[in-house]
């Protein structure tokens, strides 16, 4: 058994949620301001949650350890 447990990175845990299948769900960026210069279609698509890519999955999963 490990002597010390690794703490969860709270900044990551507030930004990312784990789905039932183990994938990481996140919000899209570029939606908070300057919306007048973005098309309606672009803003509509940014509303939906995204899935973390395989390239970032391992790094983020490591920071979410309890």
């Amino acid at each position: 058994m490990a002597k010390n447990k690794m703490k969860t990175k709270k900044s990551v845990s507030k930004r990312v949620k784990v789905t039932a299948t183990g994938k990481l769900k996140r919000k899209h960026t570029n939606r908070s301001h300057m919306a007048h210069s973005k098309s309606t279609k672009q803003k509509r698509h940014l509303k939906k949650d995204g899935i973390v890519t395989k390239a970032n999955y391992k790094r983020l999963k490591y920071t979410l350890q309890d």
Side-chain angles (χ1 to χ4, degrees):
M1 189 166 127
K3 195 169 189 179
N4 296 323
K5 291 176 77 175
M6 183 175 160
K7 289 186 177 181
T8 300
K9 295 288 185 186
K10 289 299 184 181
S11 60
V12 176
S13 67
K14 292 171 188 177
R15 289 169 171 80
V16 174
K17 302 296 176 205
V18 181
T19 63
T21 58
K23 294 179 182 176
L24 298 177
K25 190 169 68 168
R26 62 166 177 85
K27 294 285 186 184
H28 280 106
T29 58
N30 302 323
R31 187 167 149 71
S32 59
H33 67 285
M34 292 182 65
H36 60 88
S37 62
K38 296 177 176 80
S39 68
T40 307
K41 180 179 179 180
Q42 184 181 8
K43 289 183 280 190
R44 186 175 66 245
H45 281 39
L46 289 173
K47 279 184 203 175
K48 298 180 180 180
D49 292 340
I51 300 294
V52 172
T53 60
K54 286 198 299 188
N56 293 321
Y57 177 80
K58 187 176 179 182
R59 180 172 54 87
L60 289 176
K61 192 72 173 170
Y62 179 74
T63 59
L64 290 173
Q65 289 179 353
D66 291 331

